[in-house]
């Protein structure tokens, strides 16, 4: 009970699944250093839903549900956009439990929990390349940095979080709902 189904029923998807590691190839959020429009307007969103998703096994694609994904619209604005996606990135609040605006608003107010239950500490949300067998990796959150119009929040391999410009390349660890 975290992401609402995009079918208009108001129901939540049954489960949310996330990658154990990060994809082996880095990707950027946008072609330029901007967070304008937030997740809903990113090149990363298009890449995941139009390039990565169709390459997944048929049986897996058939299990994935289209859900409503909330995210700040960026550019230091607190407004939230809703996109409809099969694949998405984690939000900052889903892994760090941030309750300040706009981060808290990137989680449905009726979700069972803001922070995913497995995101217990920084070690639990550290992701590694090569299905967990490689080095700890930086990876993007779908959350735009709230203090500027050029960056998105990233999780560092060392455990902390920081931010990357929209045009910088970073790790990709996606979620889907079933």
């Amino acid at each position: 009970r975290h992401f609402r189904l995009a079918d208009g029923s108001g129901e939540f998807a049954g489960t949310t699944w996330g990658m154990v590691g990060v994809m082996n190839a880095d990707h950027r959020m946008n072609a330029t250093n901007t967070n304008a429009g937030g997740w809903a307007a990113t090149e990363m969103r298009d890449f995941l839903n139009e390039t990565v998703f169709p390459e997944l096994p048929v049986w897996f694609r058939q299990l994935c549900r289209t859900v409503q994904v909330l995210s700040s619209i960026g550019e230091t604005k607190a407004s939230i956009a809703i996109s409809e996606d099969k694949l998405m990135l984690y939000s900052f609040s889903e892994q760090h439990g941030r309750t300040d605006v706009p981060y808290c608003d990137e989680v449905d107010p009726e979700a069972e929990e803001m922070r995913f239950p497995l995101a217990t500490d920084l070690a639990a949300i550290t992701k590694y390349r090569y299905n967990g067998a490689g080095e700890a990796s930086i990876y993007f959150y779908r959350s735009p940095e709230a203090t500027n119009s050029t960056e998105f929040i990233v999780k560092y391999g060392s455990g902390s979080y920081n931010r990357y410009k929209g045009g910088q390349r970073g790790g990709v660890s996606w979620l889907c709902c079933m």
Side-chain angles (χ1 to χ4, degrees):
R1 290 188 42 87
H2 193 82
F3 290 98
R4 284 190 194 272
L5 296 174
D7 63 7
S9 68
E11 297 294 319
F12 286 87
T15 59
T16 301
W17 295 85
M19 290 180 66
V20 171
V22 296
M23 293 176 61
N24 290 338
D26 289 345
H27 200 72
R28 62 190 184 200
M29 290 297 277
N30 286 309
T32 61
N33 291 330
T34 183
N35 66 20
W39 166 253
T42 62
E43 177 184 292
M44 176 76 77
R45 178 177 172 255
D46 293 341
F47 168 69
L48 289 177
N49 287 283
E50 296 173 14
T51 303
V52 174
F53 185 75
E55 295 299 319
L56 296 172
V58 172
W59 66 267
F60 189 86
R61 291 194 319 258
Q62 290 173 338
L63 294 173
C64 291
R65 308 288 300 269
T66 303
V67 294
Q68 295 178 349
V69 180
L70 307 177
S71 113
S72 159
I73 62 168
E75 294 188 297
T76 71
K77 298 175 181 150
S79 298
I80 299 295
I82 300 173
S83 59
E84 295 184 353
D85 302 306
K86 298 261 191 196
L87 303 181
M88 73 287 297
L89 300 180
Y90 293 92
S91 77
F92 190 39
S93 287
E94 288 164 350
Q95 289 204 332
H96 294 275
R98 292 290 295 263
T99 58
D100 49 324
V101 173
Y103 306 118
C104 62
D105 296 330
E106 292 182 320
V107 176
D108 191 292
E110 293 181 31
E112 284 183 352
E113 298 181 47
M114 177 176 293
R115 186 178 196 170
F116 285 126
L118 295 177
T120 55
D121 57 29
L122 291 177
I125 59 175
T126 298
K127 304 239 180 223
Y128 300 85
R129 294 205 185 271
Y130 307 108
N131 292 326
E135 64 185 42
S137 177
I138 293 170
Y139 62 94
F140 277 106
Y141 291 121
R142 71 176 184 265
S143 305
E145 168 57 41
T147 63
N148 66 58
S149 61
T150 62
E151 298 173 316
F152 285 84
I153 300 178
V154 294
K155 164 77 172 61
Y156 278 2
S158 63
S160 63
Y161 58 87
N162 210 321
R163 51 192 186 232
Y164 262 22
K165 300 251 185 232
Q168 282 182 269
R169 297 179 81 76
V172 180
S173 184
W174 50 261
L175 306 164
C176 66
C177 295
M178 297 180 184

